């Protein structure tokens, strides 16, 4: 249930840590200080930035006014996620649209997962022939890694889901139930806009770095914390590290990536604090996107965002829809998250991979 997806912050912070219950408002890495929302300042010897990424609903014209009503939903916000199912239940005919923006996003598989689940719902209700399901992505591929792109294109084709590449949602007219896309890329229609009527619209909002990072000396040109992609240490300030969605690491922004990054960061930071000369650990870009394709089916994409090479944990071809992959994601990983990852004891599946897929057979 929705209540199972969140817990009070106080319940998940280690008792060994001091919780400063204030948002960060400014970072001055030259002075080794963080200014908080209440104006107070905290000094640090070492800084780990794991701030995540900010949803930018205002980045699409008309979206803030339309979302939560007018058939517009988004699974990316706890404020609106419970409206998705209700809105889908109200669909009888017409266009159901699902979008993916041009910006970096967290969990890049989620924008298309909901399209497959909606398709399944429409079929169960016997109205699929009256509903056109359309996936609009600002990117040039349905998925970044070819192996899984081929799999997801096959899934979409088998479900009669239209995949529209290089289409970036730029405006929503809620009362008129119209979505406007800008065509990207270098094709003959690049730069044009196309407006599509909808009965249901699931929006993955654009996302951006938090302002306190973007306007600090920690940021690269794109606004993310500028770290070495292998050691996770800042490129300029040696006592600063970052991981997860706020970092400049050129891989998909997922919890799986953050878990693998945490092992590297912990090792390298503790070695620096202790003055140890042990070799630095290096992060290889590992990330994972569990792509739900139905109630009990899932494509479990695992790969390096650095090389584009699959890094599958199990011996079977994870690009195929599989009930085991669904069970693992739906029933096992939540327990891993609450009981291990938040305690710093889950570093990703690399140790399991050595046993379950030692020869990388697939």
């Amino acid at each position: 249930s929705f209540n199972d997806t969140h817990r009070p912050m106080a319940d998940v912070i280690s008792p060994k840590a001091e919780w400063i219950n204030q948002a960060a408002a400014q970072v001055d890495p030259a002075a080794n200080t963080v200014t908080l929302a209440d104006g107070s300042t905290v000094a640090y010897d070492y800084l780990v930035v794991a701030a995540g990424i900010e949803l930018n609903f205002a980045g699409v014209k008309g979206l803030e006014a339309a979302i939560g009503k007018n058939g517009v939903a988004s699974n990316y916000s706890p404020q609106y996620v419970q409206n998705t199912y209700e809105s889908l239940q109200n669909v009888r005919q017409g266009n159901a649209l699902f979008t993916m923006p041009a910006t970096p996003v967290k969990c890049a598989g989620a924008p298309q997962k909901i399209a497959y689940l909606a398709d399944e719902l429409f079929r169960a209700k016997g109205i699929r022939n009256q509903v056109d399901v359309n996936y609009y992505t600002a990117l040039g591929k349905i998925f970044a890694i070819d192996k899984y792109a081929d799999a997801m294109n096959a899934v979409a084709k088998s479900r009669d889901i239209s995949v529209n590449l290089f289409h970036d949602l730029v405006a929503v007219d809620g009362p008129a139930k119209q979505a406007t896309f800008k065509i990207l890329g270098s094709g003959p229609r690049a730069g044009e806009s196309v407006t599509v009527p909808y009965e249901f619209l699931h929006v993955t909002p654009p996302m951006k770095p938090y302002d306190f990072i973007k306007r600090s000396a920690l940021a690269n040109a794109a606004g993310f914390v500028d770290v070495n992609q292998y050691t996770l240490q800042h490129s300029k300030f040696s006592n600063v590290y970052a991981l997860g969605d706020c970092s400049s690491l050129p891989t998909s922004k997922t919890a799986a990536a953050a878990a693998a990054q945490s092992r590297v960061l912990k090792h390298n930071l503790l070695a620096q604090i202790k003055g140890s000369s042990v070799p630095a650990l290096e992060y290889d870009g590992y990330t994972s996107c569990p792509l739900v394709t139905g109630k009990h089916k899932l494509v479990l994409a695992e790969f390096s965002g650095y090389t584009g090479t699959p890094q599958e944990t199990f011996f079977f071809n994870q690009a195929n829809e599989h009930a085991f992959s669904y069970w693992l994601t739906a029933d096992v990983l939540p327990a891993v998250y609450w009981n291990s990852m938040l305690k710093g004891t889950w570093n990703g599946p690399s140790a399991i991979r050595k046993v379950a897929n030692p020869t990388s057979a697939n």
Side-chain angles (χ1 to χ4, degrees), residues 17-66:
E18 178 187 354
W19 180 22
I20 302 174
N21 194 3
Q22 286 284 331
Q26 183 179 341
V27 180
D28 185 348
N32 292 334
T33 60
V34 177
T35 301
L36 306 179
D38 65 358
S40 62
T41 300
V42 178
Y44 64 83
D45 296 310
Y46 301 90
L47 178 67
V48 176
V49 188
I53 194 170
E54 185 177 11
L55 303 179
N56 183 21
F57 287 99
V60 176
K61 182 180 178 181
L63 179 56
E64 288 182 304

Side-chain angles (χ1 to χ4, degrees), residues 230-232 260-268 281-283:
Y230 301 110
T231 66
L232 281 65
Q261 293 159 17
S262 70
R263 171 175 173 267
V264 173
L265 191 152
K266 284 181 292 187
H267 177 276
N268 294 342
L281 287 185
E282 294 192 347
Y283 171 59

Side-chain angles (χ1 to χ4, degrees), residues 217-277:
L218 296 178
N220 64 7
F224 295 97
V225 183
D226 188 12
V227 294
N228 180 285
Q229 71 179 55
Y230 301 110
T231 66
L232 281 65
Q233 187 176 37
H234 195 273
S235 60
K236 181 178 179 182
F237 302 99
S238 62
N239 63 334
V240 176
Y241 292 78
L243 77 166
D245 298 353
C246 72
S247 73
S248 63
L249 301 173
T251 192
S252 293
K253 299 181 182 297
T254 68
Q261 293 159 17
S262 70
R263 171 175 173 267
V264 173
L265 191 152
K266 284 181 292 187
H267 177 276
N268 294 342
L269 173 58
L270 289 174
Q272 183 182 9
I273 292 172
K274 295 174 181 178
S276 171
S277 60

Side-chain angles (χ1 to χ4, degrees), residues 90 102-103 121 140 286 305 360:
N90 293 331
T103 66
L121 176 64
Y286 171 81
S360 298

